[in-house]
Amino acid sequence: MGPTDSWGHHWAGILFSASLFTVWSLPTAAHLIPNAHLLNTIRKTLAKPTISVSQGTATEHREKVTFYCDTKDVNITIHWVSNNRPLVFHERLQLSPDGKTLTILTVQREDAGNYQCEAWGARQIQSSDPTFLMVNYGPDPIEIKLESGVLSGDVVGVMEGSNVTFSVEVQSHPSPAFSWFFHNDSLLSLTTRTFSIHAMSREHEGTYRCLVSNSATHLSLLAALKVRVLERLAKPCIVSPSRNANSVALTCQTTHEGVGVQWFLKDQLLLPSKHLVLSADNKTLVIHRLGRNDTGPYECEVWNWGSWARSEPFWLTISGPDRVDITMGPGSGVVSDVTVELNSSLTLQCRAESQPGAEYRWTFEHSTTVYMGGTLTIAALSWEHQGTYNCTALNPLTRQTCSTLVLVRVVGSQLSWSAGAIAGITIGILTVIVLSTGLGCFLYIINVGWPSKQTAEDPIDETTTPTSEKEHAGELSSDWPRLVYANTPEPQGQVRVKKMLPPDPLEQFYEKELLSETPGGYSHSHQAIAQTSIASISPHATKRKHRVRL
């Protein structure tokens, strides 16, 4: 391609650019003459609305308030703002159809604050200056509070000597006035919400009143508080005044009247049960069916609203009896078998490890008698005291028992009789002697007959005349029986020979005491005495060969 063609393409580009400029460029008139309506719309801005209120201060529940939003603009919308937030409408708020008038029908304290109205156009928003609404209210129901005090119903208790501060909590606008009165209605010259009393004493006890007044609402309220000054409680103590078979009573002793009492077991609040029974005033605790786990510790606490005091821990010592021993004295060891001499004394002591101390009783296997006490003493041992003795130890609280036995052996001569036995034997021997002597005399009289006075003086016929059976029968009917001789022949004649016979000589009676260690000794002695008595009968009875059988 030559130079001529190159310059041809260059001019073609220039001509094409010029044609484009001509097509897209606006006429000069269009730039100099703008649209008149568009210029008016851009230049016109919304006017700032103004707000007015019927009254800037209102009383709660008594008055209504009306707000009006004034603006000269048209084709706008009115919006309301309260405390920089869109107003939330409710039944107490009323809005006019054009939105320019806002009415609060019944004013309440939450209606207080800043109010504004806003004019909303197509492209602009204009807000009015804020208008403040003040609402007066109160005083609401008031209450007197006492710092460092303990409320109990309508009464507040404070400790004697403590510092207390009285105060009133109140809701009111504007701030109310305060007037304080003491229990005798005397004015305390105090006009503040709070006041203090240092070192409370009995003189400060009574009812305090506070009058709260609102000058704007013309309302006044009176509050009252009864104050009781409490003495500082002294520490109580626990005593155990009574114990019976298996229970114990603990009493909480205090010098204060009208105080509350509560019990603690092992530092935990004690709850009543069938095992742990509290009295009506809670001052006495009864523990039934005592066991080893009831040792404690027990504590009682007294209180009176603002003060309390707790006793020292109280322990119950309950143990045993775990072991029972029998000794023969303080220096003797434990014995289970004792051998003692007859007629000697014996002392046995029973002891056991027990808390509280055990009660002791003794029993003997051959007797139903129960001996009480830890010491058993027998002054003079006899054979009847030999046997097994039982000692039982009893814990008076738990009623638990433990026993042990001891065997007592008595040694000594079997002939060693008691004084009573010896006296009985002596009396028996004398009785046998007297009876034997009487029996000998009786037998003698039977054999020889009783000599009458006539027989002693008249001679006795050695040969008698035979008589008839009737006469013979008459002779046999005398007071004493006659002796019959079986081996004497009857005489044939009637020869009567008178011969005076001398009285028979009296024989000596001898006694023999043959004592035997066997029970048959008494019969042998009696037989010997009887034989001796028979041998002492008159020789005439022997000549006649009269036999007397015992």
Side-chain angles (χ1 to χ4, degrees), residues 144-145 147 164-169 178 180 190-197 210:
I144 301 177
K145 294 184 178 181
E147 298 178 6
V164 297
T165 299
F166 294 84
S167 63
V168 175
E169 297 293 338
F178 300 92
W180 290 90
L190 297 171
T191 58
T192 58
R193 189 181 65 86
T194 63
F195 79 96
S196 301
I197 298 179
C210 183

Side-chain angles (χ1 to χ4, degrees), residues 99-141:
K100 293 182 179 182
T101 303
L102 173 66
T103 303
I104 304 176
L105 299 177
T106 303
V107 176
Q108 294 185 4
R109 65 188 67 181
E110 57 266 24
D111 297 330
N114 294 316
Y115 286 84
Q116 292 173 288
C117 66
E118 293 179 346
W120 286 32
R123 296 178 180 270
Q124 297 182 4
I125 298 175
Q126 288 289 345
S127 298
S128 68
D129 293 330
T131 297
F132 186 80
L133 175 63
M134 180 181 297
V135 179
N136 296 327
Y137 59 89
D140 290 345

Side-chain angles (χ1 to χ4, degrees), residues 211-228:
L211 179 64
V212 180
S213 302
N214 188 325
S215 60
T217 61
H218 305 288
L219 296 177
S220 298
L221 290 177
L222 182 66
L225 179 65
K226 187 176 181 179
V227 177
R228 181 180 178 183

Side-chain angles (χ1 to χ4, degrees), residues 4 134 185 204 287 292 352 390 405 450 460 463 466 547:
T4 307
M134 180 181 297
D185 293 334
H204 296 115
I287 308 170
R292 292 178 181 267
N390 178 284
L405 302 174
W450 188 264
I460 298 178
T463 304
R547 295 180 181 179

Side-chain angles (χ1 to χ4, degrees), residues 298-321:
Y298 297 89
E299 298 171 283
C300 72
E301 185 178 270
V302 294
W303 56 274
N304 58 359
W305 295 299
S307 176
W308 58 89
R310 186 178 294 192
S311 67
E312 294 293 335
F314 182 88
W315 294 83
L316 282 175
T317 305
I318 304 173
S319 63

Side-chain angles (χ1 to χ4, degrees), residues 353-365:
E353 297 177 359
S354 175
Q355 289 293 337
E359 299 175 356
Y360 302 95
R361 61 180 181 180
W362 294 84
T363 57
F364 182 45
E365 63 175 338

